Amino acid sequence: MFNRAILIVTFLFSAVLSSAQNKRLIDSLERMLPQGDDLKKVTLFVALAEEYRYYDFSKSKNYCNQALQIATDLNSDTLIANANRQMGAIFNQSGDYERAVQYLIAALSVYEKHKINPGIAMTKLGLGLSYQNLKKYDEALKYYFEALAIQEKVAGGKKILANLYNNIAIIYKFKNDPNLSLDYNFKALKIREDAGDKRGVSYSYNNIGVIYEDLKMPKKALEYHYKSLEMKKANKDLKGMASSHINIASNLRKSGKNAEAEQNIVAAIKYAEQIGAKDFMLDAYEEAANIYKAMGKFESSTTFLSKFVELKDSLFTEKNNKLVEELKVKYESEKKEGEIELLKQNKKLSDDQLAESNKRNTLLILLGLALAAMAVFAYSRYRIKQRTNEKLEVANTQLQHLNELVNNRKLEIEKQSKEIQLKNKDITDSIIYAKRIQSAIMPPLNELYQTFPNSFVYYSPRDIVSGDFYWYSSSGETMLIACADCTGHGVPGAFMSMICVQILNLVVKNSNVTAPEQALQLLDYGVRKALRQSGADNDTTDGMDVALCAIHLEKGLIQYSGAYRPLYIIRDNNLLEFTANKFSIGGHKQIEKKFTGHEIKFLKGDKVYMFTDGYADQFGGPDGKKYKIKNFKKMLSSISHLPMAEQNKKIEAELKNWKGEHEQLDDILVIGFEVN
């Protein structure tokens, strides 16, 4: 999307200073005022008007009016032109583009009369900006190109030239000519890069990204949006950062990368709300509603859609109140002008009375004139009130119309929200029922706890149902434990887990196989057969990573084999790692698999751990990074001396602390038991 604060460049193109720098400059200029003559004061007033233009519209306008008054008293048409050009800049900044045009045309006529080329270029630049915002794009281009013809001949005017190219590019974007827009954006970018203008470069990257969106080149667009974001971060440009995050979020959502889109829109909302940029907050709320809708998070989508409607309503109300206030001010101004006119009439009447006091007939005439003047004034006031009331009535009608639209939209949102909630409930109920089925298929944990009293299973599905599962079985004096991670999570992962549990039951219980490496070999065959994975390109790639142990308590022996999932044993505060094979169970690739078996003599008090990759891959911490296996090992070593029930609590607390506000990305399963 094109963001107003990024794309529209003010036509005087002053450097944007920090608030501290700006205050120092203003203080310096104001200290010089008492020392200067009238000629110098005009220059100082114009400079102060320019500095205040970005921060205090009222002060900026006041200084410019003073400059205009002194310039008029001096009868200097060039000074008057400078003040008029500055006043045009002020009205452009405040959004009153019609009045900006009036002041700029007045300035231009003087500059053209005296052939002052820099003034002509700058004023035409301002007129281009005014007409651009009035959506009169052909007139805007006319003035921009005329300014360009002058500016290209000016030495040292590269920054203004870059901003001209930038604005021309924007107009071609609005005229639906993305290729021409791209050409001028790259011209602006080249100048800004050569000049080391980091802020300007970040804006050019932003605009180029937008044009690539129009050209249906999302990957190229994303590349430039990320470039723009990095530079805005370096410049600490919070408003620009909010804009880039919105653009990136929109691009990622359209590409189906909703999780990344969500991270960016959260950042956009944070920065926009931090600086109170309501226009960007509006864009961000709307995009957030779209992202959460695409993610199926309908409650969050509805929340942000409501925020969008409320803010839009609030902005309209503010705009309407501003219009009413302007009408009131105008009315009071015209009222005062009428009163001044009446005083003039009364003064004239008094002078005539003193001069002709001896003539009664003249007195009667003057009284008649006074009455007529009062009647004219009264009629004038009536017409002023009538015009004001008409404008207020139009504004009020517009407000009522928008209120009706907002109320209708709210009703529509509420209706959609109820429908979404109902559908969401039906879906959730179905998934909860599926969880009951999945839980019934997996073995009861009390069987594991009876065999290994000092043990735990930390099981945290990302969604209601899970692709991770634990499995336990006994065959004579041999206990078998599996810790598995199927492809996917949620409903797809749950389907895979139920298939794999059934095949595992068949392999161990029906085939009476207890050697883990043989069991995995048969499990791989069974999964490939169940999913019809013959090696063709269109086969499913689904499968499973698993660690499988056979514990022979009487022999003091653990047999282990794994597909991507290792086994840890902590003995005397030392962590022993037994590695898994680097291939999964199942998958469409036709490769020869031979699972490796490990035989481990265990000692009394050995702590055995099996786990899926969800814990180590969880994002969090102060930098939003993965927990990683290195930290997981350290954590297990630090808590291994505790009873297993306490270890379970520590593992849960550590994950919660690390994750913070981040969402859980994957299913998580950790199994721990002590052998005696």
Side-chain angles (χ1 to χ4, degrees):
M1 64 185 67
F2 268 75
N3 295 295
R4 293 183 293 276
I6 300 297
L7 295 177
I8 296 178
V9 184
T10 52
F11 72 91
L12 289 181
F13 302 99
S14 294
V16 180
L17 304 174
S18 71
S19 57
Q21 290 173 313
N22 177 262
K23 190 176 187 310
R24 286 197 295 271
L25 180 57
I26 287 173
D27 288 345
S28 175
L29 291 170
E30 288 179 336
R31 281 197 299 271
M32 294 167 64
L33 276 174
Q35 306 166 11
D37 55 19
D38 285 349
L39 187 63
K40 188 175 180 181
K41 281 182 178 178
V42 173
T43 305
L44 289 171
F45 282 141
V46 169
L48 283 164
E50 170 64 12
E51 293 308 316
Y52 274 114
R53 177 157 64 94
Y54 298 97
Y55 307 96
D56 191 328
F57 171 74
S58 177
K59 280 190 177 181
S60 177
K61 187 178 174 185
N62 181 50
Y63 275 124
C64 201
N65 276 326
Q66 291 183 65
L68 199 54
Q69 182 62 52
I70 296 173
T72 303
D73 292 343
L74 292 172
N75 198 27
S76 169
D77 55 355
T78 54
L79 290 178
I80 292 170
N82 290 343
N84 279 333
R85 178 167 60 83
Q86 183 59 47
M87 192 67 85
I90 293 167
F91 283 116
N92 260 340
Q93 187 78 19
S94 68
D96 192 345
Y97 306 115
E98 298 282 3
R99 293 186 71 181
V101 168
Q102 294 173 12
Y103 280 99
L104 292 168
I105 290 292
L108 183 62
S109 63
V110 175
Y111 291 139
E112 288 182 332
K113 175 183 173 183
H114 294 287
K115 296 183 173 57
I116 303 172
N117 283 339
I120 294 171
M122 298 287 275
T123 307
K124 287 186 174 182
L125 204 49
L127 285 164
L129 181 62
S130 300
Y131 284 119
Q132 176 180 330
N133 285 296
L134 290 167
K135 295 183 172 54
K136 296 180 179 180
Y137 297 130
D138 290 333
E139 291 178 73
L141 278 178
K142 169 183 172 291
Y143 281 112
Y144 279 150
F145 279 120
E146 288 176 0
L148 191 64
I150 297 170
Q151 199 60 37
E152 284 176 335
K153 300 173 185 176
V154 176
K158 294 295 185 182
K159 186 172 183 180
I160 296 174
L161 193 62
N163 290 331
L164 259 170
Y165 286 143
N166 184 81
N167 284 17
I168 291 169
I170 294 169
I171 291 181
Y172 280 123
K173 155 33 180 202
F174 290 138
K175 286 170 70 70
N176 297 316
D177 194 338
N179 289 309
L180 259 180
S181 179
L182 201 60
D183 288 344
Y184 280 99
N185 269 312
F186 275 115
K187 286 182 179 181
L189 176 61
K190 177 69 167 61
I191 293 172
R192 287 166 170 173
E193 286 179 334
D194 291 344
D197 179 8
K198 293 181 179 179
R199 187 179 293 270
V201 169
S202 73
Y203 292 170
S204 286
Y205 284 156
N206 183 87
N207 297 352
I208 291 168
V210 173
I211 300 303
Y212 277 126
E213 300 272 10
D214 290 346
L215 290 168
K216 310 298 181 190
M217 299 170 69
K219 289 184 179 178
K220 200 72 176 172
L222 194 60
E223 175 190 337
Y224 278 92
H225 287 323
Y226 276 125
K227 282 184 177 182
S228 178
L229 177 61
E230 289 307 310
M231 294 207 74
K232 288 168 183 172
K233 283 181 179 178
N235 298 335
K236 296 181 180 178
D237 179 3
L238 296 184
K239 198 169 187 180
M241 287 160 65
S243 166
S244 286
H245 277 300
I246 294 169
N247 287 337
I248 291 167
S250 176
N251 180 295
L252 292 169
R253 172 180 58 82
K254 291 171 186 174
S255 302
K257 299 176 181 177
N258 294 322
E260 294 176 63
E262 181 188 15
Q263 291 176 3
N264 277 276
I265 206 61
V266 167
I269 291 169
K270 171 188 169 184
Y271 294 128
E273 289 181 343
Q274 184 177 336
I275 59 176
K278 293 184 178 179
D279 48 350
F280 289 125
M281 286 162 61
L282 200 67
D283 290 340
Y285 291 156
E286 185 178 24
E287 184 56 40
N290 291 334
I291 289 168
Y292 285 118
K293 181 181 177 184
M295 296 176 78
K297 297 182 178 181
F298 300 112
E299 187 174 345
S300 296
S301 177
T302 303
T303 298
F304 280 103
L305 194 57
S306 298
K307 283 188 174 185
F308 168 77
V309 171
E310 287 170 12
L311 182 56
K312 196 168 187 179
D313 184 18
S314 169
L315 289 174
F316 178 82
T317 302
E318 286 178 14
K319 186 176 179 182
N320 193 65
N321 289 341
K322 185 179 178 183
L323 172 63
V324 170
E325 193 60 36
E326 286 175 356
L327 290 174
K328 284 182 180 177
V329 170
K330 187 175 181 181
Y331 168 72
E332 291 298 328
S333 175
E334 292 184 7
K335 177 182 174 183
K336 286 180 181 178
E337 288 174 4
E339 289 172 349
I340 291 167
E341 183 63 28
L342 178 59
L343 289 172
K344 288 180 180 178
Q345 292 289 348
N346 286 337
K347 185 176 182 302
K348 182 177 183 297
L349 178 61
S350 297
D351 290 345
D352 289 347
Q353 283 177 324
L354 289 172
E356 302 292 335
S357 60
N358 61 335
K359 295 181 181 179
R360 185 176 179 181
N361 58 337
T362 304
L363 176 62
L364 292 172
I365 292 170
L366 290 174
L367 286 171
L369 288 172
L371 289 171
M374 290 175 68
V376 168
F377 174 63
Y379 178 73
S380 174
R381 286 189 63 187
Y382 166 75
R383 287 294 298 151
I384 290 169
K385 285 183 178 179
Q386 189 180 45
R387 288 197 298 270
T388 302
N389 288 335
E390 286 172 357
K391 291 178 180 179
L392 286 171
E393 187 177 347
V394 169
N396 191 44
T397 302
Q398 290 175 340
L399 179 59
Q400 288 176 350
H401 177 64
L402 187 63
N403 282 336
E404 288 175 7
L405 291 175
V406 170
N407 288 333
N408 290 338
R409 182 61 177 152
K410 282 183 178 178
L411 290 173
E412 184 182 342
I413 290 169
E414 287 172 3
K415 182 183 176 183
Q416 290 175 350
S417 178
K418 288 178 182 177
E419 291 175 357
I420 290 166
Q421 288 172 4
L422 184 60
K423 289 178 181 177
N424 196 33
K425 184 178 182 301
D426 290 342
I427 293 168
T428 303
D429 289 346
S430 297
I431 296 173
I432 290 171
Y433 192 78
K435 177 179 174 62
R436 290 170 61 189
I437 297 171
Q438 186 182 31
S439 299
I441 289 173
M442 289 193 291
L445 283 174
N446 61 347
E447 293 182 9
L448 175 65
Y449 296 151
Q450 285 172 5
T451 306
F452 300 102
N454 194 18
S455 63
F456 72 83
V457 174
Y458 178 68
Y459 181 51
S460 177
R462 197 198 82 162
D463 303 307
I464 297 171
V465 289
S466 172
D468 287 8
F469 71 88
Y470 53 87
W471 178 87
Y472 171 78
S473 180
S474 61
S475 178
E477 294 300 321
T478 303
M479 317 299 170
L480 291 101
I481 302 175
C483 177
D485 180 1
C486 295
T487 305
H489 43 71
V491 174
F495 272 117
M496 276 299 300
S497 72
M498 287 188 282
I499 292 170
C500 292
V501 166
Q502 291 304 314
I503 296 173
L504 194 55
N505 284 330
L506 287 171
V507 168
V508 174
K509 293 179 181 178
N510 291 12
S511 302
N512 201 28
V513 174
T514 59
E517 65 274 18
Q518 295 176 16
L520 294 189
Q521 209 76 47
L522 292 172
L523 182 60
D524 179 66
Y525 173 78
V527 169
R528 292 171 63 82
K529 185 175 180 182
L531 298 179
R532 296 185 174 87
Q533 294 172 333
S534 61
D537 290 339
N538 60 349
D539 282 353
T540 65
T541 59
D542 301 302
M544 173 177 68
D545 298 341
V546 61
L548 179 62
C549 282
I551 301 100
H552 308 274
L553 294 176
E554 291 187 353
K555 296 179 183 178
L557 180 69
I558 296 176
Q559 290 179 292
Y560 154 75
S561 186
Y564 274 121
R565 302 312 315 145
L567 179 75
Y568 292 170
I569 295 178
I570 297 181
R571 177 182 297 164
D572 297 329
N573 295 323
N574 294 316
L575 189 146
L576 309 176
E577 180 176 357
F578 300 91
T579 57
N581 293 107
K582 302 296 184 183
F583 39 76
S584 298
I585 301 294
H588 77 286
K589 290 185 178 179
Q590 285 281 35
I591 59 172
E592 184 178 349
K593 298 179 185 177
K594 183 173 178 59
F595 290 94
T596 305
H598 301 264
E599 290 194 353
I600 309 144
K601 283 285 186 179
F602 66 79
L603 301 179
K604 183 179 180 181
D606 280 355
K607 311 289 175 50
V608 183
Y609 300 94
M610 307 161 75
F611 51 91
T612 58
D613 60 1
Y615 202 106
D617 286 347
Q618 177 60 46
F619 284 96
D623 300 319
K625 295 182 178 179
K626 286 185 178 183
Y627 190 75
K628 295 186 178 178
I629 200 69
K630 180 181 177 182
N631 290 324
F632 184 68
K633 288 179 180 180
K634 285 182 180 178
M635 191 243 325
L636 288 180
S637 295
S638 69
I639 65 173
S640 62
H641 65 285
L642 298 172
M644 285 294 179
E646 286 299 314
Q647 290 189 40
N648 189 24
K649 291 178 183 177
K650 293 286 185 182
I651 287 170
E652 182 177 8
E654 173 71 4
L655 179 67
K656 184 178 180 181
N657 181 56
W658 176 262
K659 186 172 67 170
E661 298 298 322
H662 292 266
E663 285 195 3
Q664 184 172 325
L665 294 183
D666 198 0
D667 301 319
I668 296 172
L669 175 60
V670 183
I671 300 172
F673 58 91
E674 181 180 353
V675 288
N676 288 307

